[in-house]
Amino acid sequence: MRATSPFFKVNCSPNATIVLVETENLLLGAGFFKNKIIIIPLAIPDSKKLDGKKTNDIKLLCFGFIWYDKGTDIAVKAFGDISGIKLKIVGSINPSATEKQKKFFENIKKKAKQYKNVEVTDKFVTDEEKERLYAEADFIVMPYRMI
């Protein structure tokens, strides 16, 4: 089954279908329709911004193993030029990755450097780090090409 992430529609139209974690207030304030928003609660109660950085920017997070079907490159392209959004990509490639997969990840890191609002951290994400990353993010972006 092919699917595209509804997160990419955020910059398009108030009629877009939006999937949102934790709260709908940011999107309602931007003019999106309440009946087009689906709330997906995080497993972290009342997420607090733990990174200590006060900002009005919307913080997006992609994490985990970086590979083609996960669509991380789509997130970089979709959000790289949008002001007011910070995209944080934290992950690594599978230790048994092919040369093609390694090159794909290198290309993502290279593309991300073209944008001041995209940060790539090349590392394995532990469960403890995942909880902290969730808490720091406003949205989790999962732009999978295939589900």
Side-chain angles (χ1 to χ4, degrees):
M1 172 185 205
R2 287 199 174 271
T4 58
S5 171
F7 287 106
F8 295 143
K9 297 179 183 178
V10 170
N11 197 34
C12 298
S13 163
N15 296 317
T17 301
I18 306 298
V19 176
L20 178 68
V21 294
E22 191 179 352
T23 180
E24 61 193 22
N25 294 340
L26 290 169
L27 293 175
L28 289 174
F32 289 94
F33 301 111
K34 185 172 181 69
N35 67 338
K36 296 290 184 177
I37 300 171
I38 300 169
I39 302 298
I40 302 175
L42 286 172
I44 302 170
D46 195 22
S47 293
K48 297 177 180 124
K49 302 301 168 243
L50 302 176
D51 62 359
K53 298 176 186 170
K54 300 285 184 195
T55 178
N56 290 329
D57 292 334
I58 296 172
K59 295 178 183 178
L60 306 178
L61 172 67
C62 288
F63 71 94
F65 284 133
I66 308 298
W67 54 296
Y68 179 78
D69 285 344
K70 197 162 194 171
T72 308
D73 58 318
I74 296 170
V76 172
K77 184 177 180 183
F79 298 114
D81 280 333
I82 301 176
S83 63
I85 290 181
K86 299 289 184 192
L87 174 62
K88 185 180 226 177
I89 301 167
V90 182
S92 61
I93 58 172
N94 189 305
S96 61
T98 65
E99 285 304 313
K100 185 177 180 180
Q101 291 167 325
K102 291 175 185 177
K103 185 176 180 182
F104 177 76
F105 189 32
E106 290 305 314
N107 285 336
I108 287 178
K109 290 190 278 187
K110 196 180 302 182
K111 275 189 178 182
K113 288 180 181 178
Q114 298 173 6
Y115 305 105
K116 64 180 180 182
N117 62 327
V118 179
E119 170 190 337
V120 177
T121 303
D122 182 356
K123 66 180 278 182
F124 177 79
V125 180
T126 66
D127 287 341
E128 294 81 24
E129 290 171 306
K130 192 183 305 181
E131 186 173 328
R132 180 185 54 79
L133 290 168
Y134 278 154
E136 290 174 358
D138 293 309
F139 301 97
I140 308 302
V141 179
M142 296 179 273
Y144 283 86
R145 285 184 168 86
M146 299 282 288
I147 297 178

